[in-house]
Amino acid sequence: MTPSSASQASHSPNDDIDSVRGDLFDPQCPTRRLLDRIGTKWTSMAVKVLAEASPEEVRFAELQRRMAGISQKMLSVTLQGLARDGLVGRRVESTVPPRVYYRLTPLGLTLEEPLAALREWAETHMAEVDRANRRSPEATADHRKPAGTAG
């Protein structure tokens, strides 16, 4: 067996998936779905709360308390997605009622810095963006249209 055929023999289909970098501009690339999930305000807030607690865990109720405005269902959906993506770890204590704890995984911790930069940018430039929206001809036209009419 040659070195080339030896490496092919141990090659699995998942090796290609694990080593391929995404391409946001490819309509079939899963990067788009990932950005949809990590680009939400709820994900950003959950990652921030969990990063501040790291390496400690945070109970579900505490996350909900610290993330003002999030419903129990939305928090649950957000955490399930983050866990599925390997960004959050989940631990359940068999008590009545069960106690559920969350923490960032090592991969999840790598997300905190870019999300922190995005949060900082949004908080810094929010007033400018709001002013631009108020000056926008589309914003003015939208306010004059009767409800229920298409643009």
Side-chain angles (χ1 to χ4, degrees):
M1 199 183 272
T2 66
S4 171
S5 62
S7 69
Q8 288 176 348
S10 65
H11 181 81
S12 82
N14 287 337
D15 290 344
D16 290 335
I17 294 170
D18 291 342
S19 64
V20 173
R21 181 178 171 92
D23 177 6
L24 177 63
F25 293 97
D26 176 355
Q28 302 304 312
C29 183
T31 301
R32 290 180 178 204
R33 290 189 307 276
L34 179 59
L35 284 172
D36 282 343
R37 288 192 304 275
I38 65 173
T40 72
K41 65 183 175 190
W42 301 126
T43 293
S44 185
M45 290 170 73
V47 168
K48 178 179 173 61
V49 170
L50 293 170
E52 287 173 348
S54 186
E56 301 299 316
E57 299 173 315
V58 180
R59 286 188 60 190
F60 184 93
E62 177 65 11
L63 277 166
Q64 188 174 18
R65 186 185 68 72
R66 297 208 33 215
M67 295 170 61
I70 193 167
S71 69
Q72 184 173 342
K73 178 165 177 59
M74 182 53 69
L75 180 56
S76 180
V77 167
T78 299
L79 292 168
Q80 286 170 6
L82 292 171
R84 186 178 49 249
D85 291 337
L87 301 170
V88 165
R90 181 178 187 266
R91 182 176 65 86
V92 180
E93 277 186 6
S94 300
T95 59
V96 178
R99 290 186 182 146
V100 184
Y101 297 86
Y102 295 89
R103 63 172 174 70
L104 287 179
T105 63
L107 180 61
L109 283 168
T110 68
L111 185 57
E112 169 52 13
E113 188 175 341
L115 286 181
L118 186 57
R119 286 190 304 267
E120 175 64 27
W121 184 91
E123 290 170 354
T124 300
H125 297 287
M126 181 187 63
E128 293 171 75
V129 172
D130 282 347
R131 279 192 298 276
N133 276 294
R134 285 193 301 275
R135 289 191 307 261
S136 166
E138 292 83 14
T140 307
D142 286 346
H143 291 299
R144 283 188 255 145
K145 283 193 287 189
T149 60

